[in-house]
PDB file of all heavy atoms in Angstrom:
ATOM      1  N   LEU A 137     110.277 113.557 107.694  1.00 96.00           N
ATOM      2  CA  LEU A 137     110.300 114.978 108.081  1.00 96.00           C
ATOM      3  C   LEU A 137     110.128 115.879 106.874  1.00 96.00           C
ATOM      4  O   LEU A 137     109.424 116.884 106.911  1.00 96.00           O
ATOM      5  CB  LEU A 137     111.610 115.315 108.782  1.00 96.00           C
ATOM      6  CG  LEU A 137     111.780 114.708 110.164  1.00 96.00           C
ATOM      7  CD1 LEU A 137     113.151 115.044 110.712  1.00 96.00           C
ATOM      8  CD2 LEU A 137     110.697 115.228 111.090  1.00 96.00           C
ATOM      9  N   HIS A 138     110.780 115.508 105.778  1.00 96.00           N
ATOM     10  CA  HIS A 138     110.646 116.296 104.552  1.00 96.00           C
ATOM     11  C   HIS A 138     109.206 116.224 104.058  1.00 96.00           C
ATOM     12  O   HIS A 138     108.694 117.182 103.474  1.00 96.00           O
ATOM     13  CB  HIS A 138     111.617 115.797 103.479  1.00 96.00           C
ATOM     14  CG  HIS A 138     113.066 115.896 103.904  1.00 96.00           C
ATOM     15  ND1 HIS A 138     114.112 115.483 103.116  1.00 96.00           N
ATOM     16  CD2 HIS A 138     113.629 116.364 105.044  1.00 96.00           C
ATOM     17  CE1 HIS A 138     115.247 115.697 103.753  1.00 96.00           C
ATOM     18  NE2 HIS A 138     114.985 116.221 104.927  1.00 96.00           N
ATOM     19  N   ALA A 139     108.559 115.067 104.312  1.00 97.00           N
ATOM     20  CA  ALA A 139     107.151 114.923 103.919  1.00 97.00           C
ATOM     21  C   ALA A 139     106.267 115.855 104.755  1.00 97.00           C
ATOM     22  O   ALA A 139     105.320 116.456 104.228  1.00 97.00           O
ATOM     23  CB  ALA A 139     106.705 113.471 104.072  1.00 97.00           C
ATOM     24  N   HIS A 140     106.583 116.000 106.049  1.00 97.00           N
ATOM     25  CA  HIS A 140     105.814 116.947 106.874  1.00 97.00           C
ATOM     26  C   HIS A 140     105.891 118.345 106.256  1.00 97.00           C
ATOM     27  O   HIS A 140     104.913 119.086 106.251  1.00 97.00           O
ATOM     28  CB  HIS A 140     106.382 117.001 108.293  1.00 97.00           C
ATOM     29  CG  HIS A 140     105.743 116.024 109.241  1.00 97.00           C
ATOM     30  ND1 HIS A 140     104.387 115.988 109.469  1.00 97.00           N
ATOM     31  CD2 HIS A 140     106.262 115.058 110.036  1.00 97.00           C
ATOM     32  CE1 HIS A 140     104.102 115.040 110.359  1.00 97.00           C
ATOM     33  NE2 HIS A 140     105.223 114.452 110.707  1.00 97.00           N
ATOM     34  N   LEU A 141     107.058 118.685 105.783  1.00 96.00           N
ATOM     35  CA  LEU A 141     107.238 120.006 105.170  1.00 96.00           C
ATOM     36  C   LEU A 141     106.395 120.125 103.894  1.00 96.00           C
ATOM     37  O   LEU A 141     105.778 121.156 103.627  1.00 96.00           O
ATOM     38  CB  LEU A 141     108.726 120.181 104.859  1.00 96.00           C
ATOM     39  CG  LEU A 141     109.227 121.525 104.408  1.00 96.00           C
ATOM     40  CD1 LEU A 141     110.688 121.646 104.773  1.00 96.00           C
ATOM     41  CD2 LEU A 141     109.059 121.710 102.926  1.00 96.00           C
ATOM     42  N   GLN A 142     106.341 119.029 103.144  1.00 96.00           N
ATOM     43  CA  GLN A 142     105.566 119.022 101.910  1.00 96.00           C
ATOM     44  C   GLN A 142     104.089 119.299 102.183  1.00 96.00           C
ATOM     45  O   GLN A 142     103.409 119.942 101.380  1.00 96.00           O
ATOM     46  CB  GLN A 142     105.738 117.666 101.211  1.00 96.00           C
ATOM     47  CG  GLN A 142     104.935 117.476  99.949  1.00 96.00           C
ATOM     48  CD  GLN A 142     105.371 118.416  98.836  1.00 96.00           C
ATOM     49  OE1 GLN A 142     106.485 118.935  98.852  1.00 96.00           O
ATOM     50  NE2 GLN A 142     104.493 118.643  97.879  1.00 96.00           N
ATOM     51  N   SER A 143     103.582 118.849 103.354  1.00 95.00           N
ATOM     52  CA  SER A 143     102.151 119.061 103.621  1.00 95.00           C
ATOM     53  C   SER A 143     101.840 120.553 103.766  1.00 95.00           C
ATOM     54  O   SER A 143     100.699 120.966 103.597  1.00 95.00           O
ATOM     55  CB  SER A 143     101.653 118.241 104.816  1.00 95.00           C
ATOM     56  OG  SER A 143     102.455 118.461 105.926  1.00 95.00           O
ATOM     57  N   ALA A 144     102.857 121.362 104.061  1.00 95.00           N
ATOM     58  CA  ALA A 144     102.633 122.810 104.096  1.00 95.00           C
ATOM     59  C   ALA A 144     102.472 123.378 102.683  1.00 95.00           C
ATOM     60  O   ALA A 144     101.987 124.491 102.499  1.00 95.00           O
ATOM     61  CB  ALA A 144     103.786 123.509 104.813  1.00 95.00           C
ATOM     62  N   LEU A 145     102.903 122.597 101.697  1.00 94.00           N
ATOM     63  CA  LEU A 145     102.805 123.072 100.305  1.00 94.00           C
ATOM     64  C   LEU A 145     101.551 122.551  99.612  1.00 94.00           C
ATOM     65  O   LEU A 145     101.321 122.831  98.435  1.00 94.00           O
ATOM     66  CB  LEU A 145     104.044 122.627  99.509  1.00 94.00           C
ATOM     67  CG  LEU A 145     105.353 123.297  99.929  1.00 94.00           C
ATOM     68  CD1 LEU A 145     106.537 122.609  99.276  1.00 94.00           C
ATOM     69  CD2 LEU A 145     105.328 124.775  99.555  1.00 94.00           C
ATOM     70  N   LEU A 146     100.723 121.800 100.353  1.00 91.00           N
ATOM     71  CA  LEU A 146      99.525 121.216  99.732  1.00 91.00           C
ATOM     72  C   LEU A 146      98.511 122.285  99.351  1.00 91.00           C
ATOM     73  O   LEU A 146      97.830 122.180  98.334  1.00 91.00           O
ATOM     74  CB  LEU A 146      98.851 120.229 100.692  1.00 91.00           C
ATOM     75  CG  LEU A 146      99.431 118.818 100.707  1.00 91.00           C
ATOM     76  CD1 LEU A 146      98.799 118.013 101.825  1.00 91.00           C
ATOM     77  CD2 LEU A 146      99.213 118.132  99.368  1.00 91.00           C
ATOM     78  N   SER A 147      98.392 123.329 100.214  1.00 78.00           N
ATOM     79  CA  SER A 147      97.361 124.335  99.938  1.00 78.00           C
ATOM     80  C   SER A 147      97.787 125.263  98.805  1.00 78.00           C
ATOM     81  O   SER A 147      96.964 125.769  98.057  1.00 78.00           O
ATOM     82  CB  SER A 147      97.058 125.137 101.198  1.00 78.00           C
ATOM     83  OG  SER A 147      98.252 125.497 101.827  1.00 78.00           O
ATOM     84  N   ASP A 148      99.095 125.482  98.692  1.00 76.00           N
ATOM     85  CA  ASP A 148      99.577 126.417  97.679  1.00 76.00           C
ATOM     86  C   ASP A 148     101.050 126.098  97.417  1.00 76.00           C
ATOM     87  O   ASP A 148     101.863 126.164  98.327  1.00 76.00           O
ATOM     88  CB  ASP A 148      99.451 127.846  98.216  1.00 76.00           C
ATOM     89  CG  ASP A 148      99.785 128.864  97.151  1.00 76.00           C
ATOM     90  OD1 ASP A 148     100.383 128.478  96.135  1.00 76.00           O
ATOM     91  OD2 ASP A 148      99.448 130.039  97.348  1.00 76.00           O
TER      92      ASP A 148
END
Side-chain angles (χ1 to χ4, degrees):
L137 290 176
H138 300 179
H140 269 304
L141 189 154
Q142 177 65 21
S143 52
L145 292 169
L146 277 172
S147 45
D148 187 344

